[in-house]
């Protein structure tokens, strides 16, 4: 299955919203593979457009140099935070340019494009013409549009309106066209916009040079969104030569009823970019409905209820955050503290609190106790042959429930609920240890069998939890597997998670803290 994210603008540095989306996608990709399914994870950067040209000009450098410099920041961040993609999309890539140009040529041949003159208001910031719908009640254009200028020029247009009726029917009839459901309703409320006017897909070179040339009219470049959206097919091998080093398109965009691509995007780019332009573009390109992608829409991270913005000076830098608290704490927090589709407030104090409480204290404590006592009291050897008591059966049931809940949550793209399911079992295990007190059992030789059973249940739980945690925290999971002397855990699939992963007589390793507590120095 193809899993994509939005490609990030290279007109600035990555912020926490970019990091969330890529980490979210990385978690899902790893989970899909854990479930035993194939997943091709594509992400990248959106390097063209007016903003990049303008910011580069302000710095006195070529837009290509500027975009390459910013691209590096994204590449470094994904490396630092363990975002492990299979395909990397850069819109300046020649293979992408060739694909965009072939699509433009073929759409023109089909009569989907035409040229006309137009006079109207244009938002420099949003790089688009504005309509009366974009005006405030008093007739003015709001600050979100930035500088608005009146221009008159000829351009190429895509017959968006010709696809409006189809779009409405498609979105209303396909339940998983947009996930979650309330975001689909949002699109349904806006689909009529597609019928209002056609989409301007070119910019004259005298105004914007930093884009992909229109192949049949070299005085124009392609509108940045038209270019960027195509990354989802160009880097999946659409219209590519066999030796282009790109994947097999038919496999990633199947039309045979198997899961279609999943585009992970933020709420701001559902309407009109993905929900209207992209779906209509694909339809115009001749894609049948069964082949169309699903749009998985996430909410935004805000700061105390307010949008993050450069002007408010409240933008959170994920790179600094990872340096300060460690990449694991950042991954955990971003996966844990947001409900998919909804907004959340970014709060570094919650990051520290959730990490310290759920990982350093609860899970860390369980690891430490289970491995430490197995080492001290049983020579590191796990014995699994004694009859379980009611408490042991209850622990096994708790684990089975946690695994089922985790699976159900991940299948509906909700890592936060999946992590809560994991934590429920961790809490159960720590309670089990408190009730059974293996440290007391160890003092009485007659209770050896009971001691071994209790520790075996804790160690077995740890093995399962390691696997379940691996999509969110792959590195700590590898360290846990290693301490358990069960490196093979990380090649298991979800269906392999039945009781009895740890064989009788297995020797575990020594515990080393996997989740060191974050200590904040008083400022
Ligand atoms: N380049 C376009 C996308 C083209 S996709 C063919 C773009 N880039 S962006 O850099 O502005 O945003 C990239 C992604 O980050 C988008 O999905 C956007 O919704 C997401 N986020 C931007 N700010 C965000 C938050 N504050 N919180 C969560 N995600 C946010 O749009």
């Amino acid at each position: 299955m193809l899993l994509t994210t939005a490609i990030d603008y290279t007109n600035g540095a990555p912020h926490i919203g970019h990091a969330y989306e890529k980490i979210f996608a990385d978690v899902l990709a790893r989970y899909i593979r854990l479930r035993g399914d194939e997943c091709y994870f594509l992400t990248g950067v959106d390097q063209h457009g007016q903003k990049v040209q303008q910011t580069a000009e302000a710095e006195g450098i070529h837009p290509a140099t500027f975009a390459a410099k910013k691209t590096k920041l994204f590449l470094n961040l994904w490396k630092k935070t363990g975002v492990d993609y299979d395909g990397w999309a850069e819109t300046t890539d020649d293979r992408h340019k060739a694909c965009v140009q072939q699509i433009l040529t073929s759409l023109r041949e089909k009569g989907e494009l035409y040229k006309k003159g137009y006079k109207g208001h244009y938002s420099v910031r949003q790089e688009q013409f504005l309509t009366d719908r974009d005006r405030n009640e008093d007739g003015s254009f709001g600050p979100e549009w930035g500088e608005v200028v009146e221009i008159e020029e000829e351009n190429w247009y895509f017959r968006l309106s010709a696809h409006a009726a189809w779009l409405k029917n498609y979105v209303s009839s396909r339940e998983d066209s947009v996930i979650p459901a309330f975001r689909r309703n949002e699109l349904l409320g806006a689909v009529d916009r597609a019928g209002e006017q056609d989409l301007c897909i070119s910019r004259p070179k005298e105004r914007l040079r930093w884009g992909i040339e229109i192949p049949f009219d070299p005085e124009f470049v392609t509108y940045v969104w038209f270019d960027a959206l195509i990354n989802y097919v160009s880097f999946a091998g659409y219209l590519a030569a066999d030796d282009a080093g790109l994947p097999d398109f038919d496999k990633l965009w199947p039309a045979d009823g198997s899961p279609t691509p999943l585009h992970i995007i933020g709420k701001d780019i559902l309407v009109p970019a993905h929900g209207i332009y992209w779906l209509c573009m694909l339809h115009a390109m001749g894609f049948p409905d069964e082949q169309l992608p699903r749009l998985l829409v996430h909410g935004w991270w805000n700061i105390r209820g307010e949008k993050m913005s450069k002007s408010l000076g409240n933008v959170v830098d994920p790179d600094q955050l990872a340096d300060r608290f460690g990449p694991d704490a950042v991954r955990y927090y971003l996966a844990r503290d947001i409900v998919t589709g909804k907004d959340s407030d970014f709060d570094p104090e919650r990051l520290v609190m959730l990490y310290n409480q759920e990982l350093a204290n609860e899970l860390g404590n369980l690891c430490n106790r289970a491995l430490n006592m197995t080492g001290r009291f049983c020579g590191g050897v796990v014995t699994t042959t004694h009859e379980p008591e009611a408490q042991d059966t209850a622990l096994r049931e708790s684990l089975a429930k946690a695994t089922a809940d985790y699976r159900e949550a991940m299948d509906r793209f909700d890592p936060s609920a999946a992590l809560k399911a994991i934590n429920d079992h961790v809490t159960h295990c720590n309670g089990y240890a408190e009730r059974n007190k293996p440290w007391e059992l160890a003092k009485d030789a007659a209770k050896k069998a009971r001691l071994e059973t209790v520790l075996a249940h804790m160690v077995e739980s740890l093995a399962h939890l390691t696997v379940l945690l691996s999509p969110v925290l792959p590195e700590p999971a590898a360290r846990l597997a290693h301490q358990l002397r069960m490196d093979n855990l990380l090649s298991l699939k979800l269906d392999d998670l039945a009781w009895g992963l740890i064989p009788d007589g297995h020797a575990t390793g020594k515990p080393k803290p996997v989740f060191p507590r974050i200590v904040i120095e008083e400022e």
Side-chain angles (χ1 to χ4, degrees), residues 6-9 15 17-18 20-22 46 225 228-229 231-232 265-269 274 298-301 308:
I7 50 173
D8 299 315
Y9 280 131
H15 59 65
H18 298 134
Y20 160 62
E21 185 178 273
K22 276 61 194 176
D46 188 352
W225 269 104
L229 288 162
N231 96 86
Y232 300 132
I265 54 169
K267 63 177 186 177
D268 56 318
I269 56 174
H274 286 79
H298 63 76
W300 270 35
W301 285 92
M308 262 189 289

Side-chain angles (χ1 to χ4, degrees), residues 2 4 96 99-100 103 107 158 160 163 166-167 170 199 225-234 236 238 249 253 261-263 265 269-285 287 291-295:
L2 175 63
T4 68
H96 172 72
C99 183
V100 170
I103 290 173
L107 286 177
F158 164 51
L160 185 68
H163 303 280
W166 164 80
L167 180 67
Y170 167 74
L199 175 67
W225 269 104
F226 195 91
D227 158 359
L229 288 162
I230 288 175
N231 96 86
Y232 300 132
V233 292
S234 62
Y238 185 60
F249 185 72
W253 281 76
L262 190 67
H263 292 330
I265 54 169
I269 56 174
L270 171 63
V271 178
H274 286 79
I276 295 180
Y277 303 162
W278 180 227
L279 293 179
C280 290
M281 282 164 68
L282 286 165
H283 182 63
M285 283 155 66
F287 281 61
Q291 205 179 5
L292 294 187
R294 295 163 291 160
L295 305 177

Side-chain angles (χ1 to χ4, degrees), residues 137-151:
E137 271 176 21
D138 64 3
S140 65
F141 291 107
E144 68 275 23
W145 300 113
E147 186 192 355
V148 175
V149 289
E150 256 210 296
I151 47 180

Side-chain angles (χ1 to χ4, degrees), residues 15-206:
H15 59 65
I16 199 74
H18 298 134
Y20 160 62
E21 185 178 273
K22 276 61 194 176
I23 290 170
F24 176 39
D26 182 69
V27 169
L28 288 186
R30 290 174 194 265
Y31 167 73
I32 291 167
R33 292 186 200 116
L34 178 62
R35 200 171 60 191
D37 297 321
E38 278 182 34
C39 183
Y40 187 91
F41 172 18
L42 174 67
T43 189
V45 278
D46 188 352
Q47 297 167 311
H48 289 129
Q50 199 146 354
K51 286 178 217 166
V52 173
Q53 178 173 310
Q54 278 172 347
T55 340
E57 270 166 13
E59 283 195 19
I61 54 176
H62 192 277
T65 315
F66 179 82
K69 195 173 83 175
K70 294 295 175 194
T71 297
K72 246 192 217 134
L73 299 177
F74 286 93
L75 286 164
N76 290 344
L77 179 65
W78 305 149
K79 192 152 187 224
K80 190 180 273 189
T81 51
V83 172
D84 190 11
Y85 44 83
D86 303 287
W88 178 250
E90 291 187 1
T91 49
T92 51
D93 188 312
D94 284 340
R95 298 169 303 179
H96 172 72
K97 286 187 192 168
C99 183
V100 170
Q101 293 186 329
Q102 285 185 74
I103 290 173
L104 284 165
T105 303
S106 121
L107 286 177
R108 187 186 178 210
E109 281 163 6
K110 285 184 180 174
E112 294 281 356
L113 307 183
Y114 62 91
K115 196 174 182 182
K116 73 161 187 189
Y118 181 81
K119 185 176 174 189
H121 290 94
Y122 185 83
S123 154
V124 178
R125 179 196 277 183
Q126 299 300 336
E127 301 179 40
Q128 68 184 66
F129 279 103
L130 303 176
T131 64
D132 286 342
R133 169 194 276 284
D134 302 313
R135 291 180 192 273
N136 293 330
E137 271 176 21
D138 64 3
S140 65
F141 291 107
E144 68 275 23
W145 300 113
E147 186 192 355
V148 175
V149 289
E150 256 210 296
I151 47 180
E152 180 172 9
E153 64 190 21
E154 277 209 299
N155 267 307
W156 283 91
Y157 286 80
F158 164 51
R159 288 188 199 284
L160 185 68
S161 55
H163 303 280
W166 164 80
L167 180 67
K168 192 168 187 171
N169 181 45
Y170 167 74
V171 180
S172 20
S173 59
R174 185 167 160 193
E175 213 171 294
D176 66 355
S177 51
V178 183
I179 309 162
F182 76 97
R183 295 284 178 203
R184 175 167 165 247
N185 291 336
E186 209 172 285
L187 176 59
L188 276 172
V191 281
D192 289 333
R193 273 178 69 175
E196 287 172 6
Q197 63 178 47
D198 289 338
L199 175 67
C200 178
I201 57 146
S202 70
R203 298 292 181 263
K205 273 194 185 161
E206 68 223 32

